[in-house]
Amino acid sequence: MTSREHPKAFVSYIHDSPQHCDAVREFSTFLRSEQGIDVILDQWASDQRQDWQAWATKNILESDFVIVVASEGYQRVGDGYGPNDRNLGGQAEAATLRNLLQGDRQDWTRKLLPVILPGHSVHEIPQFLSAHTNDHYPVTSFTPEGADSLLRHITRQPRHPLPPLGPLPVLPPLSGAGAAVATPAPERNRTALLEEFPVVWRADLLRRGRQSQSPLVEVHLVPAERVARFGVLQLERVSEGLVALGRSRRLFTQTQSVSAISSDESARAVSEDWRSGESGLAVLRGGQRTCWFGLPAANIGWILDREHLAAQIADRLHTLLEIDLPLPGRFAPAIALEPVSLTRIAKIAEISATSAPLPMNVPEHIRVEAEEAFPTSDLRHSIRGVAEELVARLAATFRR
């Protein structure tokens, strides 16, 4: 950003209809008059004869950001399959933006901001802006709350500022001399559930008839008390953050395609990328937090390595506790494996072995219900012990 007090943003859009032009002008007025952003809009520069291509190019290059307003027309023009004799100005702007992005992808990825106004969807963003792998900015209303993610990016005010670096930890070895003994789950504050708090399993959450081709481990934290349901607006706000959280905690890779989805019942970040493996992160209106991920593949089938899986689950429990929504006083953990076929309990070091037989007559899935509750504060400090107990229950059911 330049040293100007107010960031400058050029608005690029297609004149799909008079109603769309009105909505863009109202949105631009909100940004300029109420949020202090120096918005450049063609509708405010039409009082004199213009060379519009030169005007647009000059303002694009001089602006701190270019807001690209998603619409069906912009998708056609941006992806190059619209009619050649329509939206000539929009075609020129989109060509300029594609050229600038190709010339300096790092700088222009930061500057180009795909925005989705009410009534539009992520599918109306042109492909060259990579909406599914880079950030985009839904605007649910012309208010600071409705445009929160966009305003924070333009004004450089992150939701969660980077904390200062602390000292490096001293970690004892896991085996041999000086090995640490795993911290057990807090026995004193660990209580059996006196009433049922049912788990919403992944298959019910996604409501799919198709089963995953490879076994997926599901980890769930179910509120073990009656709590107020989250609002739908809260779920909308948190859905985009789930993608970033999942990437930062390595549930998703940096290049993996991830979809952010919110509904009246849940917010989800889901990847069905078969090359990287299916994975997901979700929070339900009732407060349940859920994630799922795959097992390591062997030459034939998949490996359930208890020690390796316990370390993964401990990390996933940390991830679930970091979701940016209020926490209940107590959580009851649950775990599942689905499907189970072609899975063997073994060490990852044996991953290339082909002699170990696959178990026979295994169930279609294994689900370990939420049976015990832990105070959230205790859960944070004993996550490895809780993870090992979940894996032990999963393995015991598997062998049975």
Side-chain angles (χ1 to χ4, degrees):
M1 194 179 295
T2 68
S3 60
R4 287 191 300 272
E5 181 180 358
H6 300 279
K8 184 176 182 180
F10 178 83
V11 176
S12 179
Y13 69 107
I14 297 297
H15 294 209
D16 287 42
S17 66
Q19 294 78 11
H20 184 59
C21 292
D22 291 345
V24 171
R25 186 177 65 254
E26 183 182 354
F27 168 61
S28 301
T29 301
F30 158 72
L31 292 180
R32 185 176 180 87
S33 299
E34 300 181 33
Q35 305 305 313
I37 297 170
D38 185 8
V39 174
I40 307 301
L41 181 69
D42 61 353
Q43 297 182 53
W44 296 331
S46 58
D47 58 339
Q48 55 185 325
R49 190 166 183 259
Q50 295 275 5
D51 179 341
W52 287 107
Q53 183 169 349
W55 174 88
T57 301
K58 175 178 182 295
N59 282 292
I60 286 171
L61 294 175
E62 291 180 352
S63 294
D64 300 304
F65 301 99
V66 176
I67 293 173
V68 178
V69 182
S71 68
E72 290 185 8
Y74 211 120
Q75 184 192 35
R76 289 193 297 269
V77 166
D79 292 338
Y81 60 83
N84 292 330
D85 58 346
R86 295 182 60 187
N87 303 123
L88 300 182
Q91 290 188 52
E93 286 181 22
T96 298
L97 297 180
R98 288 196 301 267
N99 184 60
L100 292 169
L101 185 62
Q102 184 68 20
D104 190 342
R105 185 162 295 274
Q106 180 176 355
D107 189 40
W108 283 94
T109 294
R110 177 185 60 83
K111 290 183 178 181
L112 290 175
L113 310 181
V115 166
I116 305 170
L117 296 186
H120 295 269
S121 76
V122 66
H123 304 294
E124 296 175 290
I125 297 175
Q127 290 293 326
F128 78 90
L129 291 175
S130 306
H132 291 291
T133 56
N134 295 330
D135 292 324
H136 57 274
Y137 302 91
V139 174
T140 57
S141 63
F142 300 157
T143 64
E145 296 77 17
D148 181 80
S149 60
L150 176 67
L151 295 174
R152 287 185 181 279
H153 181 85
I154 292 178
T155 61
R156 290 187 173 178
Q157 299 181 72
R159 282 196 187 100
H160 307 290
L162 185 68
L165 280 173
L168 291 173
V170 177
L171 302 174
L174 297 179
S175 62
V181 178
T183 303
E187 298 294 338
R188 186 178 61 180
N189 293 328
R190 167 182 180 177
T191 57
L193 293 178
L194 300 180
E195 58 178 310
E196 184 177 355
F197 291 93
V199 180
V200 178
W201 304 102
R202 170 183 168 276
D204 300 322
L205 171 64
L206 300 183
R207 296 176 182 172
R208 291 188 186 148
R210 181 184 66 81
Q211 190 179 66
S212 171
Q213 298 301 308
S214 59
L216 296 178
V217 178
E218 305 174 27
V219 181
H220 308 273
L221 287 178
V222 181
E225 56 188 38
R226 300 301 175 184
V227 295
R229 287 162 63 83
F230 295 131
V232 174
L233 287 177
Q234 286 180 292
L235 296 179
E236 289 179 352
R237 176 183 60 80
V238 82
S239 62
E240 293 292 337
L242 292 179
V243 178
L245 174 60
R247 292 197 196 281
S248 69
R249 300 294 304 193
R250 293 177 293 180
L251 177 64
F252 312 122
T253 68
Q254 295 302 316
T255 58
Q256 195 169 355
S257 176
V258 183
S259 299
I261 306 163
S262 68
S263 68
D264 60 348
E265 288 298 329
S266 67
R268 309 188 296 277
V270 178
S271 174
E272 297 180 338
D273 188 338
W274 62 269
R275 292 163 297 185
S276 304
E278 292 187 45
S279 51
L281 185 60
V283 59
L284 281 62
R285 280 197 72 189
Q288 177 179 317
R289 298 165 184 236
T290 293
C291 70
W292 58 91
F293 56 94
L295 290 174
N299 285 351
I300 300 176
W302 290 267
I303 295 288
L304 193 163
D305 182 324
R306 289 182 55 168
E307 185 174 343
H308 177 261
L309 182 56
Q312 282 188 297
I313 291 175
D315 187 66
R316 302 300 180 242
L317 290 172
H318 276 297
T319 302
L320 294 177
L321 292 174
E322 288 179 13
I323 294 174
D324 187 20
L325 285 170
L327 294 162
R330 297 193 310 156
F331 269 126
I335 191 171
L337 179 65
E338 183 177 354
V340 181
S341 60
L342 298 182
T343 301
R344 61 166 64 88
I345 296 179
K347 293 288 187 182
I348 288 182
E350 305 166 6
I351 207 163
S352 60
T354 57
S355 57
L358 287 166
M360 304 297 290
N361 301 320
V362 294
E364 180 181 352
H365 59 246
I366 296 173
R367 292 174 176 176
V368 178
E369 297 281 353
E371 300 174 349
E372 297 174 324
F374 301 90
T376 301
S377 57
D378 286 351
L379 183 61
R380 286 184 182 277
H381 293 99
S382 303
I383 276 184
R384 182 57 188 250
V386 172
E388 290 179 349
E389 176 66 16
L390 287 175
V391 174
R393 294 182 187 177
L394 187 70
T397 307
F398 183 91
R399 291 194 179 98
R400 188 172 63 208

